[in-house]
Amino acid sequence: DPIASRVEVVPYAFPYDITGELLREQIKSVARLTGAAVFRGDKLVGWLDRRQTRGYNWITGKVKSGILVIEAPEPNVELNTPWSRIGVEIIRSGATFRPKIEGNGRKIGMEIRIWAETHIADVQPYLNLYEHPGLWEEIERRTAEVIRGEVAGAIGKAQELKADIFGFGREVYRTNPKLWKQVKSEWYDMFAAMEPEIEVKAEVVLTVRSVQVDKIGEPGEGR
């Protein structure tokens, strides 16, 4: 089923006051990508939010870059601050999926495999990754969990709308045309009841040392 980008027009707040004698026109609104429109055939049936849209892109192998924010492993955070986050930048990714057929075709599942190569773009607060080798595995595990959550969210919403935007049915047809002929008429119900198996492998392949700060300054102090 088709899917299209969703664009919203939102008010634009100018970052500073316009002064001077020159005539200046203020931009009052801008366009912003906020998700995706979901169709069944030629009928609009619902929307994906931004996280669900990236989940769709994970499954279809279209994620090329981006930032994932994960919780830092709490026992290893060295500054007593109210937040602890790690920004993980996506370098490249890929995905495959294939049908899993059981019960002579009466039950069809989907095995989804996703991999992502990342590096650590930002750590708040300071976290010495080189003193705690076990942190690498934990960061990779948490990154994979975030990706898996986005994928599951996209699938759940598509199942709710009964719109096969991923092309699961097309893959059944490609691998088993005879079976597809038998289940085609009831595919949407089978798709909605499907429990896909999602496997995600995230790897940190490149990073830089985090910089320790002794004092967190006010905005604009350049710390």
Side-chain angles (χ1 to χ4, degrees):
D1 287 304
I3 187 170
S5 297
R6 179 174 71 178
V7 181
E8 295 185 31
V9 177
V10 297
Y12 177 72
F14 211 68
Y16 53 86
D17 293 333
I18 298 176
T19 60
E21 298 180 356
L22 295 176
L23 177 63
R24 304 190 185 192
E25 301 257 345
Q26 182 173 347
I27 299 173
K28 296 182 179 179
S29 60
V30 294
R32 182 174 64 189
L33 288 170
T34 57
V38 176
F39 295 81
R40 190 182 325 128
D42 60 355
K43 181 181 179 182
L44 176 66
V45 293
W47 307 91
L48 301 183
D49 62 25
R50 281 184 286 187
R51 285 175 57 85
Q52 292 164 346
T53 301
R54 185 157 62 180
Y56 163 83
N57 286 333
W58 283 118
I59 295 171
T60 55
K62 297 178 180 179
V63 174
K64 305 302 180 184
S65 62
I67 295 289
L68 296 172
V69 179
I70 66 172
E71 296 283 341
E74 294 297 336
N76 298 288
V77 173
E78 298 186 5
L79 291 183
N80 184 20
T81 62
W83 35 257
S84 52
R85 302 287 187 271
I86 296 177
V88 179
E89 183 174 2
I90 303 160
I91 301 173
R92 61 182 63 88
S93 70
T96 61
F97 56 81
R98 65 178 184 179
K100 182 178 180 181
I101 300 168
E102 299 176 348
N104 293 324
R106 300 313 303 168
K107 183 177 180 181
I108 301 177
M110 199 64 57
E111 296 178 342
I112 302 169
R113 303 288 182 264
I114 296 170
W115 60 268
E117 292 184 0
T118 68
H119 74 81
I120 296 173
D122 182 47
V123 180
Q124 296 180 349
Y126 172 69
L127 189 63
N128 192 331
L129 299 171
Y130 295 90
E131 291 184 0
H132 305 279
L135 286 183
W136 296 103
E137 290 80 7
E138 181 63 16
I139 291 171
E140 290 174 343
R141 186 190 69 80
R142 294 186 182 209
T143 299
E145 284 299 318
V146 170
I147 296 172
R148 186 178 293 106
E150 293 181 347
V151 169
I155 293 173
K157 187 63 177 180
Q159 289 178 316
E160 176 187 326
L161 299 172
K162 288 191 175 182
D164 183 7
I165 55 178
F166 314 105
F168 289 167
R170 183 174 59 231
E171 188 64 11
V172 174
Y173 169 73
R174 188 186 70 82
T175 57
N176 196 327
K178 184 177 180 180
L179 174 61
W180 174 250
K181 187 176 181 179
Q182 298 172 4
V183 303
K184 180 179 179 181
S185 62
E186 53 185 316
W187 175 247
Y188 283 118
D189 290 331
M190 298 180 73
F191 170 76
M194 185 181 294
E195 297 180 2
E197 298 178 10
I198 305 169
E199 180 181 307
V200 181
K201 180 181 180 181
E203 184 179 5
V204 177
V205 296
L206 178 66
T207 189
V208 295
R209 290 182 180 272
S210 176
V211 179
Q212 185 170 11
V213 294
D214 297 322
K215 177 184 177 182
I216 300 176
E218 296 298 324
E221 287 188 3
R223 295 186 179 275

mmCIF file with all atom_site columns, all heavy atoms in Angstrom, residues 171-187:
data_model
loop_
_atom_site.group_PDB
_atom_site.id
_atom_site.type_symbol
_atom_site.label_atom_id
_atom_site.label_alt_id
_atom_site.label_comp_id
_atom_site.label_asym_id
_atom_site.label_entity_id
_atom_site.label_seq_id
_atom_site.pdbx_PDB_ins_code
_atom_site.Cartn_x
_atom_site.Cartn_y
_atom_site.Cartn_z
_atom_site.occupancy
_atom_site.B_iso_or_equiv
_atom_site.pdbx_formal_charge
_atom_site.auth_seq_id
_atom_site.auth_comp_id
_atom_site.auth_asym_id
_atom_site.auth_atom_id
_atom_site.pdbx_PDB_model_num
ATOM 1   N N   . GLU A 1 171 ? 6.098  -9.718  -0.693 1.00 0.00 ? 171 GLU A N   1
ATOM 2   C CA  . GLU A 1 171 ? 7.174  -10.681 -0.451 1.00 0.00 ? 171 GLU A CA  1
ATOM 3   C C   . GLU A 1 171 ? 6.612  -12.099 -0.386 1.00 0.00 ? 171 GLU A C   1
ATOM 4   O O   . GLU A 1 171 ? 7.267  -13.050 -0.839 1.00 0.00 ? 171 GLU A O   1
ATOM 5   C CB  . GLU A 1 171 ? 7.907  -10.332 0.842  1.00 0.00 ? 171 GLU A CB  1
ATOM 6   C CG  . GLU A 1 171 ? 9.167  -11.135 1.099  1.00 0.00 ? 171 GLU A CG  1
ATOM 7   C CD  . GLU A 1 171 ? 10.261 -10.896 0.072  1.00 0.00 ? 171 GLU A CD  1
ATOM 8   O OE1 . GLU A 1 171 ? 10.137 -9.952  -0.743 1.00 0.00 ? 171 GLU A OE1 1
ATOM 9   O OE2 . GLU A 1 171 ? 11.243 -11.665 0.069  1.00 0.00 ? 171 GLU A OE2 1
ATOM 10  N N   . VAL A 1 172 ? 5.417  -12.269 0.184  1.00 0.00 ? 172 VAL A N   1
ATOM 11  C CA  . VAL A 1 172 ? 4.776  -13.590 0.162  1.00 0.00 ? 172 VAL A CA  1
ATOM 12  C C   . VAL A 1 172 ? 4.537  -14.017 -1.283 1.00 0.00 ? 172 VAL A C   1
ATOM 13  O O   . VAL A 1 172 ? 4.811  -15.158 -1.673 1.00 0.00 ? 172 VAL A O   1
ATOM 14  C CB  . VAL A 1 172 ? 3.455  -13.567 0.953  1.00 0.00 ? 172 VAL A CB  1
ATOM 15  C CG1 . VAL A 1 172 ? 2.727  -14.907 0.804  1.00 0.00 ? 172 VAL A CG1 1
ATOM 16  C CG2 . VAL A 1 172 ? 3.714  -13.277 2.429  1.00 0.00 ? 172 VAL A CG2 1
ATOM 17  N N   . TYR A 1 173 ? 4.035  -13.095 -2.098 1.00 0.00 ? 173 TYR A N   1
ATOM 18  C CA  . TYR A 1 173 ? 3.778  -13.397 -3.507 1.00 0.00 ? 173 TYR A CA  1
ATOM 19  C C   . TYR A 1 173 ? 5.077  -13.757 -4.238 1.00 0.00 ? 173 TYR A C   1
ATOM 20  O O   . TYR A 1 173 ? 5.119  -14.698 -5.041 1.00 0.00 ? 173 TYR A O   1
ATOM 21  C CB  . TYR A 1 173 ? 3.119  -12.199 -4.181 1.00 0.00 ? 173 TYR A CB  1
ATOM 22  C CG  . TYR A 1 173 ? 3.057  -12.311 -5.686 1.00 0.00 ? 173 TYR A CG  1
ATOM 23  C CD1 . TYR A 1 173 ? 2.170  -13.194 -6.298 1.00 0.00 ? 173 TYR A CD1 1
ATOM 24  C CD2 . TYR A 1 173 ? 3.893  -11.539 -6.483 1.00 0.00 ? 173 TYR A CD2 1
ATOM 25  C CE1 . TYR A 1 173 ? 2.131  -13.312 -7.680 1.00 0.00 ? 173 TYR A CE1 1
ATOM 26  C CE2 . TYR A 1 173 ? 3.859  -11.652 -7.866 1.00 0.00 ? 173 TYR A CE2 1
ATOM 27  C CZ  . TYR A 1 173 ? 2.975  -12.535 -8.458 1.00 0.00 ? 173 TYR A CZ  1
ATOM 28  O OH  . TYR A 1 173 ? 2.934  -12.661 -9.820 1.00 0.00 ? 173 TYR A OH  1
ATOM 29  N N   . ARG A 1 174 ? 6.147  -13.007 -3.942 1.00 0.00 ? 174 ARG A N   1
ATOM 30  C CA  . ARG A 1 174 ? 7.416  -13.240 -4.639 1.00 0.00 ? 174 ARG A CA  1
ATOM 31  C C   . ARG A 1 174 ? 7.997  -14.610 -4.309 1.00 0.00 ? 174 ARG A C   1
ATOM 32  O O   . ARG A 1 174 ? 8.532  -15.300 -5.177 1.00 0.00 ? 174 ARG A O   1
ATOM 33  C CB  . ARG A 1 174 ? 8.425  -12.159 -4.272 1.00 0.00 ? 174 ARG A CB  1
ATOM 34  C CG  . ARG A 1 174 ? 9.713  -12.201 -5.089 1.00 0.00 ? 174 ARG A CG  1
ATOM 35  C CD  . ARG A 1 174 ? 10.727 -11.193 -4.575 1.00 0.00 ? 174 ARG A CD  1
ATOM 36  N NE  . ARG A 1 174 ? 11.262 -11.578 -3.272 1.00 0.00 ? 174 ARG A NE  1
ATOM 37  C CZ  . ARG A 1 174 ? 12.253 -12.463 -3.107 1.00 0.00 ? 174 ARG A CZ  1
ATOM 38  N NH1 . ARG A 1 174 ? 12.799 -13.051 -4.149 1.00 0.00 ? 174 ARG A NH1 1
ATOM 39  N NH2 . ARG A 1 174 ? 12.688 -12.760 -1.893 1.00 0.00 ? 174 ARG A NH2 1
ATOM 40  N N   . THR A 1 175 ? 7.907  -15.005 -3.034 1.00 0.00 ? 175 THR A N   1
ATOM 41  C CA  . THR A 1 175 ? 8.528  -16.255 -2.602 1.00 0.00 ? 175 THR A CA  1
ATOM 42  C C   . THR A 1 175 ? 7.618  -17.471 -2.761 1.00 0.00 ? 175 THR A C   1
ATOM 43  O O   . THR A 1 175 ? 8.104  -18.592 -2.857 1.00 0.00 ? 175 THR A O   1
ATOM 44  C CB  . THR A 1 175 ? 8.969  -16.151 -1.126 1.00 0.00 ? 175 THR A CB  1
ATOM 45  O OG1 . THR A 1 175 ? 7.835  -15.823 -0.316 1.00 0.00 ? 175 THR A OG1 1
ATOM 46  C CG2 . THR A 1 175 ? 10.022 -15.062 -0.958 1.00 0.00 ? 175 THR A CG2 1
ATOM 47  N N   . ASN A 1 176 ? 6.287  -17.225 -2.768 1.00 0.00 ? 176 ASN A N   1
ATOM 48  C CA  . ASN A 1 176 ? 5.365  -18.361 -2.844 1.00 0.00 ? 176 ASN A CA  1
ATOM 49  C C   . ASN A 1 176 ? 4.079  -17.923 -3.562 1.00 0.00 ? 176 ASN A C   1
ATOM 50  O O   . ASN A 1 176 ? 3.037  -17.714 -2.922 1.00 0.00 ? 176 ASN A O   1
ATOM 51  C CB  . ASN A 1 176 ? 5.047  -18.869 -1.434 1.00 0.00 ? 176 ASN A CB  1
ATOM 52  C CG  . ASN A 1 176 ? 4.426  -20.257 -1.441 1.00 0.00 ? 176 ASN A CG  1
ATOM 53  O OD1 . ASN A 1 176 ? 3.701  -20.618 -2.364 1.00 0.00 ? 176 ASN A OD1 1
ATOM 54  N ND2 . ASN A 1 176 ? 4.700  -21.028 -0.396 1.00 0.00 ? 176 ASN A ND2 1
ATOM 55  N N   . PRO A 1 177 ? 4.132  -17.782 -4.865 1.00 0.00 ? 177 PRO A N   1
ATOM 56  C CA  . PRO A 1 177 ? 2.957  -17.299 -5.614 1.00 0.00 ? 177 PRO A CA  1
ATOM 57  C C   . PRO A 1 177 ? 1.712  -18.163 -5.417 1.00 0.00 ? 177 PRO A C   1
ATOM 58  O O   . PRO A 1 177 ? 0.588  -17.639 -5.383 1.00 0.00 ? 177 PRO A O   1
ATOM 59  C CB  . PRO A 1 177 ? 3.425  -17.343 -7.075 1.00 0.00 ? 177 PRO A CB  1
ATOM 60  C CG  . PRO A 1 177 ? 4.918  -17.319 -7.003 1.00 0.00 ? 177 PRO A CG  1
ATOM 61  C CD  . PRO A 1 177 ? 5.283  -18.035 -5.739 1.00 0.00 ? 177 PRO A CD  1
ATOM 62  N N   . LYS A 1 178 ? 1.899  -19.456 -5.286 1.00 0.00 ? 178 LYS A N   1
ATOM 63  C CA  . LYS A 1 178 ? 0.753  -20.348 -5.107 1.00 0.00 ? 178 LYS A CA  1
ATOM 64  C C   . LYS A 1 178 ? 0.047  -20.061 -3.788 1.00 0.00 ? 178 LYS A C   1
ATOM 65  O O   . LYS A 1 178 ? -1.191 -19.997 -3.731 1.00 0.00 ? 178 LYS A O   1
ATOM 66  C CB  . LYS A 1 178 ? 1.227  -21.800 -5.160 1.00 0.00 ? 178 LYS A CB  1
ATOM 67  C CG  . LYS A 1 178 ? 0.102  -22.816 -5.078 1.00 0.00 ? 178 LYS A CG  1
ATOM 68  C CD  . LYS A 1 178 ? 0.633  -24.236 -5.208 1.00 0.00 ? 178 LYS A CD  1
ATOM 69  C CE  . LYS A 1 178 ? -0.496 -25.252 -5.116 1.00 0.00 ? 178 LYS A CE  1
ATOM 70  N NZ  . LYS A 1 178 ? 0.012  -26.655 -5.239 1.00 0.00 ? 178 LYS A NZ  1
ATOM 71  N N   . LEU A 1 179 ? 0.819  -19.879 -2.721 1.00 0.00 ? 179 LEU A N   1
ATOM 72  C CA  . LEU A 1 179 ? 0.222  -19.569 -1.429 1.00 0.00 ? 179 LEU A CA  1
ATOM 73  C C   . LEU A 1 179 ? -0.457 -18.204 -1.464 1.00 0.00 ? 179 LEU A C   1
ATOM 74  O O   . LEU A 1 179 ? -1.546 -18.035 -0.917 1.00 0.00 ? 179 LEU A O   1
ATOM 75  C CB  . LEU A 1 179 ? 1.309  -19.579 -0.335 1.00 0.00 ? 179 LEU A CB  1
ATOM 76  C CG  . LEU A 1 179 ? 0.856  -19.126 1.055  1.00 0.00 ? 179 LEU A CG  1
ATOM 77  C CD1 . LEU A 1 179 ? -0.236 -20.039 1.598  1.00 0.00 ? 179 LEU A CD1 1
ATOM 78  C CD2 . LEU A 1 179 ? 2.045  -19.088 2.017  1.00 0.00 ? 179 LEU A CD2 1
ATOM 79  N N   . TRP A 1 180 ? 0.172  -17.235 -2.118 1.00 0.00 ? 180 TRP A N   1
ATOM 80  C CA  . TRP A 1 180 ? -0.415 -15.896 -2.174 1.00 0.00 ? 180 TRP A CA  1
ATOM 81  C C   . TRP A 1 180 ? -1.793 -15.932 -2.839 1.00 0.00 ? 180 TRP A C   1
ATOM 82  O O   . TRP A 1 180 ? -2.726 -15.236 -2.412 1.00 0.00 ? 180 TRP A O   1
ATOM 83  C CB  . TRP A 1 180 ? 0.500  -14.942 -2.932 1.00 0.00 ? 180 TRP A CB  1
ATOM 84  C CG  . TRP A 1 180 ? -0.116 -13.591 -3.138 1.00 0.00 ? 180 TRP A CG  1
ATOM 85  C CD1 . TRP A 1 180 ? -0.543 -13.062 -4.312 1.00 0.00 ? 180 TRP A CD1 1
ATOM 86  C CD2 . TRP A 1 180 ? -0.393 -12.616 -2.130 1.00 0.00 ? 180 TRP A CD2 1
ATOM 87  N NE1 . TRP A 1 180 ? -1.066 -11.811 -4.108 1.00 0.00 ? 180 TRP A NE1 1
ATOM 88  C CE2 . TRP A 1 180 ? -0.991 -11.510 -2.778 1.00 0.00 ? 180 TRP A CE2 1
ATOM 89  C CE3 . TRP A 1 180 ? -0.193 -12.577 -0.756 1.00 0.00 ? 180 TRP A CE3 1
ATOM 90  C CZ2 . TRP A 1 180 ? -1.390 -10.373 -2.083 1.00 0.00 ? 180 TRP A CZ2 1
ATOM 91  C CZ3 . TRP A 1 180 ? -0.590 -11.437 -0.058 1.00 0.00 ? 180 TRP A CZ3 1
ATOM 92  C CH2 . TRP A 1 180 ? -1.183 -10.358 -0.726 1.00 0.00 ? 180 TRP A CH2 1
ATOM 93  N N   . LYS A 1 181 ? -1.938 -16.760 -3.861 1.00 0.00 ? 181 LYS A N   1
ATOM 94  C CA  . LYS A 1 181 ? -3.222 -16.870 -4.531 1.00 0.00 ? 181 LYS A CA  1
ATOM 95  C C   . LYS A 1 181 ? -4.303 -17.352 -3.570 1.00 0.00 ? 181 LYS A C   1
ATOM 96  O O   . LYS A 1 181 ? -5.470 -16.949 -3.664 1.00 0.00 ? 181 LYS A O   1
ATOM 97  C CB  . LYS A 1 181 ? -3.094 -17.828 -5.720 1.00 0.00 ? 181 LYS A CB  1
ATOM 98  C CG  . LYS A 1 181 ? -4.322 -17.898 -6.600 1.00 0.00 ? 181 LYS A CG  1
ATOM 99  C CD  . LYS A 1 181 ? -4.084 -18.791 -7.810 1.00 0.00 ? 181 LYS A CD  1
ATOM 100 C CE  . LYS A 1 181 ? -5.320 -18.833 -8.698 1.00 0.00 ? 181 LYS A CE  1
ATOM 101 N NZ  . LYS A 1 181 ? -5.099 -19.694 -9.900 1.00 0.00 ? 181 LYS A NZ  1
ATOM 102 N N   . GLN A 1 182 ? -3.918 -18.191 -2.591 1.00 0.00 ? 182 GLN A N   1
ATOM 103 C CA  . GLN A 1 182 ? -4.873 -18.735 -1.633 1.00 0.00 ? 182 GLN A CA  1
ATOM 104 C C   . GLN A 1 182 ? -5.250 -17.722 -0.543 1.00 0.00 ? 182 GLN A C   1
ATOM 105 O O   . GLN A 1 182 ? -6.377 -17.723 -0.060 1.00 0.00 ? 182 GLN A O   1
ATOM 106 C CB  . GLN A 1 182 ? -4.287 -19.991 -0.978 1.00 0.00 ? 182 GLN A CB  1
ATOM 107 C CG  . GLN A 1 182 ? -4.009 -21.131 -1.946 1.00 0.00 ? 182 GLN A CG  1
ATOM 108 C CD  . GLN A 1 182 ? -3.253 -22.277 -1.290 1.00 0.00 ? 182 GLN A CD  1
ATOM 109 O OE1 . GLN A 1 182 ? -2.991 -22.252 -0.082 1.00 0.00 ? 182 GLN A OE1 1
ATOM 110 N NE2 . GLN A 1 182 ? -2.881 -23.274 -2.074 1.00 0.00 ? 182 GLN A NE2 1
ATOM 111 N N   . VAL A 1 183 ? -4.298 -16.870 -0.153 1.00 0.00 ? 183 VAL A N   1
ATOM 112 C CA  . VAL A 1 183 ? -4.534 -15.987 0.996  1.00 0.00 ? 183 VAL A CA  1
ATOM 113 C C   . VAL A 1 183 ? -4.799 -14.540 0.597  1.00 0.00 ? 183 VAL A C   1
ATOM 114 O O   . VAL A 1 183 ? -5.105 -13.707 1.449  1.00 0.00 ? 183 VAL A O   1
ATOM 115 C CB  . VAL A 1 183 ? -3.327 -16.020 1.970  1.00 0.00 ? 183 VAL A CB  1
ATOM 116 C CG1 . VAL A 1 183 ? -3.052 -17.447 2.424  1.00 0.00 ? 183 VAL A CG1 1
ATOM 117 C CG2 . VAL A 1 183 ? -2.081 -15.405 1.334  1.00 0.00 ? 183 VAL A CG2 1
ATOM 118 N N   . LYS A 1 184 ? -4.702 -14.218 -0.676 1.00 0.00 ? 184 LYS A N   1
ATOM 119 C CA  . LYS A 1 184 ? -4.814 -12.828 -1.130 1.00 0.00 ? 184 LYS A CA  1
ATOM 120 C C   . LYS A 1 184 ? -6.100 -12.155 -0.642 1.00 0.00 ? 184 LYS A C   1
ATOM 121 O O   . LYS A 1 184 ? -6.083 -11.007 -0.182 1.00 0.00 ? 184 LYS A O   1
ATOM 122 C CB  . LYS A 1 184 ? -4.734 -12.780 -2.649 1.00 0.00 ? 184 LYS A CB  1
ATOM 123 C CG  . LYS A 1 184 ? -4.838 -11.389 -3.233 1.00 0.00 ? 184 LYS A CG  1
ATOM 124 C CD  . LYS A 1 184 ? -4.731 -11.431 -4.751 1.00 0.00 ? 184 LYS A CD  1
ATOM 125 C CE  . LYS A 1 184 ? -4.867 -10.031 -5.338 1.00 0.00 ? 184 LYS A CE  1
ATOM 126 N NZ  . LYS A 1 184 ? -4.779 -10.076 -6.831 1.00 0.00 ? 184 LYS A NZ  1
ATOM 127 N N   . SER A 1 185 ? -7.214 -12.847 -0.704 1.00 0.00 ? 185 SER A N   1
ATOM 128 C CA  . SER A 1 185 ? -8.507 -12.241 -0.369 1.00 0.00 ? 185 SER A CA  1
ATOM 129 C C   . SER A 1 185 ? -8.633 -11.912 1.113  1.00 0.00 ? 185 SER A C   1
ATOM 130 O O   . SER A 1 185 ? -9.430 -11.055 1.494  1.00 0.00 ? 185 SER A O   1
ATOM 131 C CB  . SER A 1 185 ? -9.655 -13.169 -0.793 1.00 0.00 ? 185 SER A CB  1
ATOM 132 O OG  . SER A 1 185 ? -9.576 -14.408 -0.098 1.00 0.00 ? 185 SER A OG  1
ATOM 133 N N   . GLU A 1 186 ? -7.870 -12.595 1.949  1.00 0.00 ? 186 GLU A N   1
ATOM 134 C CA  . GLU A 1 186 ? -7.945 -12.327 3.392  1.00 0.00 ? 186 GLU A CA  1
ATOM 135 C C   . GLU A 1 186 ? -6.633 -11.783 3.949  1.00 0.00 ? 186 GLU A C   1
ATOM 136 O O   . GLU A 1 186 ? -6.377 -11.842 5.153  1.00 0.00 ? 186 GLU A O   1
ATOM 137 C CB  . GLU A 1 186 ? -8.321 -13.619 4.134  1.00 0.00 ? 186 GLU A CB  1
ATOM 138 C CG  . GLU A 1 186 ? -7.439 -14.804 3.804  1.00 0.00 ? 186 GLU A CG  1
ATOM 139 C CD  . GLU A 1 186 ? -7.908 -16.095 4.454  1.00 0.00 ? 186 GLU A CD  1
ATOM 140 O OE1 . GLU A 1 186 ? -8.266 -16.056 5.656  1.00 0.00 ? 186 GLU A OE1 1
ATOM 141 O OE2 . GLU A 1 186 ? -7.922 -17.127 3.765  1.00 0.00 ? 186 GLU A OE2 1
ATOM 142 N N   . TRP A 1 187 ? -5.810 -11.239 3.072  1.00 0.00 ? 187 TRP A N   1
ATOM 143 C CA  . TRP A 1 187 ? -4.482 -10.817 3.496  1.00 0.00 ? 187 TRP A CA  1
ATOM 144 C C   . TRP A 1 187 ? -4.509 -9.732  4.572  1.00 0.00 ? 187 TRP A C   1
ATOM 145 O O   . TRP A 1 187 ? -3.737 -9.768  5.528  1.00 0.00 ? 187 TRP A O   1
ATOM 146 C CB  . TRP A 1 187 ? -3.658 -10.346 2.306  1.00 0.00 ? 187 TRP A CB  1
ATOM 147 C CG  . TRP A 1 187 ? -2.322 -9.779  2.745  1.00 0.00 ? 187 TRP A CG  1
ATOM 148 C CD1 . TRP A 1 187 ? -1.898 -8.491  2.658  1.00 0.00 ? 187 TRP A CD1 1
ATOM 149 C CD2 . TRP A 1 187 ? -1.276 -10.507 3.389  1.00 0.00 ? 187 TRP A CD2 1
ATOM 150 N NE1 . TRP A 1 187 ? -0.641 -8.357  3.197  1.00 0.00 ? 187 TRP A NE1 1
ATOM 151 C CE2 . TRP A 1 187 ? -0.230 -9.584  3.662  1.00 0.00 ? 187 TRP A CE2 1
ATOM 152 C CE3 . TRP A 1 187 ? -1.103 -11.838 3.764  1.00 0.00 ? 187 TRP A CE3 1
ATOM 153 C CZ2 . TRP A 1 187 ? 0.952  -9.959  4.279  1.00 0.00 ? 187 TRP A CZ2 1
ATOM 154 C CZ3 . TRP A 1 187 ? 0.083  -12.209 4.379  1.00 0.00 ? 187 TRP A CZ3 1
ATOM 155 C CH2 . TRP A 1 187 ? 1.091  -11.276 4.634  1.00 0.00 ? 187 TRP A CH2 1
#
